[in-house]
Amino acid sequence: MKLEEKLLRLRKQHGLSQQEMADELAVSRQTISKWETGITIPSSENLIGIGKLLNVPINVLVDDSASLEPPPVSSTATEPMKTEDQKIIGHVFRFSKKLCFAFCILLFLIGIFLGTRLPFSNRWTRDERQPDPMEELVKVEVDISHADSFSTEPLQP
């Protein structure tokens, strides 16, 4: 049995849609479709994820001569997770990634806000009641009270 046939059969046996399987493996639904039709094959990283998700050894997936047997039932406490548990973990993981992203954006915005308020900012150190130094340079006071009239002759020192 070929890899694409095994993938299709195992996905259906586990009651997963292509979209659900894609969400669990962090790929697109179209990628799952291409794997199941034999257009492309999964990468080794994706094969590991498929094996864990469908509880099948990778060598069974890639070996065309290997048959699909149900995994042996384990009586130990280390029983593999059920598909529902895996879905919940996948949802929690995606939510935590989004939460982390939102937190980073919030920290970035706080940093920008505080950056405008730090001691090296003019608004922090300058007393608002004092005039701006540039305004002092522009103001020129000329005392013309002692002059009777305006003249075009240069002033004598």
Side-chain angles (χ1 to χ4, degrees), residues 1-18 20-21 25 32 35-36 42 46-63 66-72 83 86-87:
M1 183 181 292
K2 293 184 178 181
L3 173 63
E4 55 265 21
E5 295 167 346
K6 291 177 184 178
L7 289 175
L8 179 63
R9 179 184 280 181
L10 287 168
R11 179 179 61 78
K12 288 185 177 183
Q13 282 178 356
H14 283 80
L16 295 171
S17 68
Q18 286 183 342
E20 290 170 333
M21 186 171 176
L25 297 173
I32 301 294
W35 292 345
E36 290 179 352
N46 285 325
L47 281 171
I48 292 170
I50 292 167
K52 288 179 182 179
L53 176 66
L54 302 176
N55 197 23
V56 176
I58 298 172
N59 62 336
V60 172
L61 290 173
V62 295
D63 186 6
S67 64
L68 290 176
E69 328 178 323
T83 308
Q86 290 174 338
K87 287 181 186 178

Side-chain angles (χ1 to χ4, degrees), residues 4 33-41:
E4 55 265 21
S33 176
K34 288 179 183 179
W35 292 345
E36 290 179 352
T37 57
I39 295 173
T40 61
I41 59 171

Side-chain angles (χ1 to χ4, degrees), residues 1-155:
M1 183 181 292
K2 293 184 178 181
L3 173 63
E4 55 265 21
E5 295 167 346
K6 291 177 184 178
L7 289 175
L8 179 63
R9 179 184 280 181
L10 287 168
R11 179 179 61 78
K12 288 185 177 183
Q13 282 178 356
H14 283 80
L16 295 171
S17 68
Q18 286 183 342
Q19 185 63 53
E20 290 170 333
M21 186 171 176
D23 290 343
E24 294 296 326
L25 297 173
V27 297
S28 68
R29 184 204 56 78
Q30 291 82 359
T31 300
I32 301 294
S33 176
K34 288 179 183 179
W35 292 345
E36 290 179 352
T37 57
I39 295 173
T40 61
I41 59 171
S43 66
S44 57
E45 182 179 304
N46 285 325
L47 281 171
I48 292 170
I50 292 167
K52 288 179 182 179
L53 176 66
L54 302 176
N55 197 23
V56 176
I58 298 172
N59 62 336
V60 172
L61 290 173
V62 295
D63 186 6
D64 289 346
S65 63
S67 64
L68 290 176
E69 328 178 323
V73 177
S74 173
S75 61
T76 64
T78 59
E79 185 174 317
M81 287 192 299
K82 305 290 185 242
T83 308
E84 191 63 33
D85 292 339
Q86 290 174 338
K87 287 181 186 178
I88 292 171
I89 290 172
H91 291 299
V92 169
F93 178 73
R94 283 188 294 283
F95 176 75
S96 64
K97 282 181 18 182
K98 290 177 184 176
L99 187 64
C100 182
F101 180 73
F103 183 71
C104 289
I105 297 257
L106 179 66
L107 285 178
F108 178 75
L109 293 175
I110 289 172
I112 288 174
F113 177 76
L114 291 178
T116 61
R117 304 282 188 242
L118 291 178
F120 56 81
S121 172
N122 284 342
R123 287 188 283 169
W124 182 272
T125 57
R126 188 177 70 221
D127 186 0
E128 294 298 328
R129 290 172 288 157
Q130 294 178 355
D132 187 21
M134 288 303 292
E135 290 177 12
E136 290 180 15
L137 291 175
V138 172
K139 292 181 184 177
V140 176
E141 295 182 18
V142 178
D143 184 19
I144 58 169
S145 63
H146 65 283
D148 295 335
S149 65
F150 291 104
S151 116
T152 57
E153 297 176 17
L155 295 173

